[in-house]
Amino acid sequence: MGAEASPAASARPQLVLIAICDLPQAPSSRHLLDDVDEVRFGRGERSVARSQIDGQRVLELRVPDRRMSADHGRLVRGPSGWVLDDPNSKNGAVVDGTVTRRSVLDDGAVVELGHSFFVFREAPVEAHAAADVDDGALTGGATLQTYDGALAEQFATLARIAPTEVSVLLQGETGTGKELVARALHDLSGRRGAFVAVNCGALPPSLIEAELFGHRRGAFTGAVGERLGLVRSADGGTLFLDEVGELPAASQAAFLRVLQEREVVPVGVDHPVKVDVRLCAATLRDLEALVDSGQFRRDLYARLFGLTLVLPPLRERRVDLGLLTRRLLARIPGGTSIRLAPSALRALLRHDWALNIRELEKVLTTAVALATEGAIEATHLPEALRRPPPTTIPPPAAAAPAAVALAVGAPPPPAAPRDRQDELRDQLVGLLTVHEGNVVAVSRALNTRRAQVYRWLRRFGLEVKAFRR
């Protein structure tokens, strides 16, 4: 069985700036929050600053977004997680499609401040990761760049084995970029031969060995000349076997000879021909299940795959949506000058992307063609991606309880009793975090008595002292 790429370390809190709608060509950036007590946001020239203020470790992020306020809220670390607190900004904040002034952030939360979109994660990070990094500092070349720590660790492993002859198996859903990663592997390998891609599922069954291994003239009807075949065409380079699980049994046996002896026997030739190929394969199918059922040779499986790399679906790497969108827009005519309406970017981040990066490319290509006024609106996206735009913004906290939250678009359905309890606990955690365990301030924000706050604290098992700094 192929060796898996090594897993990354334990989860770490991080904030990724996905994109600024009015400047989608501006780079994304990732900021680790391990050593931070508070993150402050505001409009200004793009900058990142870490400092100590009144004994607190503060990360200040300035973003060139004219829709942001000079002081557009903050993230505060608490004993029960991170809380977004935005009491004073003009335009408010949106968390996971809900307009809010204060919210406890879950892993994967999408935060909108002005026209800037962030994703909060509690996730692994690659070894030796910098505290702050943007697109220009990412390693691996365009194809292998990612803000997903676990995937970055796999890509780093791929780069380390690239100069060797270790065979690689790429697994993942359709459209996740398996062939692009295979080409990146070839580029990193330094091999002088060609990169040759073979769609094993599209080879004619009657001619599969002739296509792969070549043939001499007259070897069969229609063989009017000699042909090298795909394997010999990749001599000195990389042979990429896409959908390798579709190889017929007879061709599997022939491939085993290629791996064992480093030679092929062209159709109509009675002697082997030496080849030097690096093998990389990809499949959607469960090869282990095919081996167990006898549909794929166990000895071929054992020899073919030295490293297995699993490419996650796009819905699991939303931190890369801005990075991927910029890369795709750069290849689309007119894409480099396009803007994104917040409703459009919100829809892109919310979508499940069944066909992954390939689907994103098709959606963006169509949207750019429809965006005659220079901005991609939600109406330029397929119907499945559309949702209503945001409505009203809650007033600042001084004019309303901090718990105010309005859904983007239509009002949310009535919450079940358990849902209301969860919301109340989140409100308490958020207020206790922001007010540093001051029960008087919490009771004022909720317009209730201190005694009631203490009853709620006992109900939810919350300790006030844990929130005091």
Side-chain angles (χ1 to χ4, degrees):
M1 181 183 298
E4 298 288 342
S6 58
S10 58
R12 300 166 64 181
Q14 55 201 268
L15 188 70
V16 179
L17 171 59
I18 301 299
I20 306 168
C21 289
D22 297 330
L23 298 168
Q25 293 76 29
S28 298
S29 60
R30 184 186 65 192
H31 310 279
L32 302 183
L33 308 181
D34 308 66
D35 300 323
V36 174
D37 299 309
E38 183 178 318
V39 183
R40 298 180 182 178
F41 303 95
R43 182 185 65 249
E45 185 177 347
R46 184 92 176 247
S47 65
V48 179
R50 292 174 180 261
S51 60
Q52 288 271 348
I53 301 178
D54 296 330
Q56 298 296 304
R57 300 166 298 179
V58 176
L59 168 63
E60 185 171 359
L61 300 179
R62 292 287 168 183
V63 181
D65 179 355
R66 59 189 179 88
R67 301 285 183 159
M68 287 182 69
S69 301
D71 174 8
H72 208 120
R74 58 184 183 150
L75 276 184
V76 183
R77 180 201 293 272
S80 299
W82 288 83
V83 175
L84 175 68
D85 180 40
D86 179 28
N88 301 315
S89 74
K90 179 180 178 180
N91 295 324
V94 179
V95 176
D96 289 333
T98 298
V99 184
T100 184
R101 287 291 177 181
R102 183 171 294 119
S103 180
V104 178
L105 298 187
D106 295 324
D107 179 29
V110 177
V111 178
E112 303 173 41
L113 304 177
H115 281 186
S116 299
F117 282 66
F118 300 81
V119 170
F120 173 78
R121 290 300 321 271
E122 291 271 3
V125 176
E126 66 275 17
H128 313 298
D132 303 289
V133 64
D134 62 16
D135 294 3
L138 294 177
T139 60
T143 299
L144 304 184
Q145 288 183 337
T146 179
Y147 288 104
D148 183 288
L151 182 58
E153 198 68 48
Q154 290 197 84
F155 283 161
T157 300
L158 189 75
R160 286 195 297 272
I161 63 93
T164 73
E165 294 187 356
V166 173
S167 299
V168 176
L169 171 64
L170 302 174
Q171 293 183 310
E173 296 179 5
T174 184
T176 50
K178 294 186 289 295
E179 182 170 343
L180 291 176
V181 172
R183 289 182 181 275
L185 172 67
H186 173 70
D187 292 341
L188 290 169
S189 72
R191 297 180 67 86
R192 297 181 179 179
F195 175 89
V196 178
V198 181
N199 185 342
C200 297
L203 291 170
S206 60
L207 297 175
I208 190 167
E209 291 195 23
E211 292 286 331
L212 290 173
F213 308 130
H215 59 78
R216 67 169 179 80
R217 180 179 180 182
F220 52 86
T221 302
V224 295
E226 183 177 349
R227 184 170 183 175
L228 285 178
L230 295 167
V231 175
R232 283 194 289 169
S233 296
D235 190 29
T238 301
L239 183 67
F240 175 57
L241 304 177
D242 195 13
E243 287 311 318
V244 69
E246 304 296 332
L247 274 177
S251 297
Q252 292 177 32
F255 252 118
L256 186 61
R257 181 183 183 90
V258 175
L259 292 172
Q260 288 177 327
E261 308 298 336
R262 297 290 176 177
E263 62 186 26
V264 298
V265 179
V267 177
V269 176
D270 57 5
H271 60 275
V273 178
K274 289 292 183 181
V275 290
D276 171 26
V277 294
R278 173 28 156 349
L279 285 176
C280 180
T283 184
L284 293 170
R285 303 184 68 180
D286 185 343
L287 285 186
E288 290 189 26
L290 293 179
V291 169
D292 291 340
S293 65
Q295 299 178 65
F296 200 88
R297 292 181 64 113
R298 188 175 300 275
D299 48 3
L300 175 59
Y301 180 67
R303 286 183 174 274
L304 191 56
F305 311 126
L307 174 75
T308 299
L309 190 152
V310 181
L311 298 180
L314 182 54
R315 61 183 172 274
E316 294 179 8
R317 53 181 295 201
R318 283 188 169 89
V319 291
D320 288 335
L321 190 79
L323 182 72
L324 293 169
T325 296
R326 275 185 295 284
R327 187 186 305 159
L328 294 171
L329 286 175
R331 302 196 326 231
I332 299 170
T336 56
S337 59
I338 208 74
R339 303 188 311 278
L340 293 169
S343 57
L345 184 52
R346 189 179 305 123
L348 296 178
L349 281 163
R350 184 179 53 236
H351 189 52
D352 279 343
W353 301 109
L355 299 179
N356 297 292
I357 301 172
R358 189 175 301 154
E359 182 183 2
L360 175 63
E361 182 176 16
K362 298 299 183 184
V363 166
L364 290 175
T365 300
T366 302
V368 169
L370 295 173
T372 55
E373 297 186 5
I376 296 176
E377 303 283 348
T379 54
H380 299 144
L381 304 177
E383 181 64 32
L385 275 73
R386 299 178 195 171
R387 288 272 183 92
T391 53
T392 56
I393 302 292
V404 172
L406 299 176
V408 172
R418 178 57 186 165
D419 293 333
R420 287 198 293 269
Q421 293 302 304
D422 290 343
E423 291 172 3
L424 176 57
R425 187 184 188 282
D426 284 348
Q427 291 171 21
L428 284 171
V429 168
L431 288 166
L432 286 166
T433 300
V434 169
H435 294 293
E436 301 180 9
N438 187 325
V439 174
V440 174
V442 172
S443 64
R444 287 174 181 167
L446 293 175
N447 194 26
T448 190
R449 296 174 298 170
R450 282 179 290 170
Q452 180 60 61
V453 173
Y454 280 114
R455 281 195 289 270
W456 285 334
L457 294 176
R458 287 193 295 272
R459 178 190 303 173
F460 297 121
L462 299 174
E463 294 284 345
V464 171
K465 63 182 179 182
F467 294 87
R468 290 173 180 157
R469 298 181 188 177

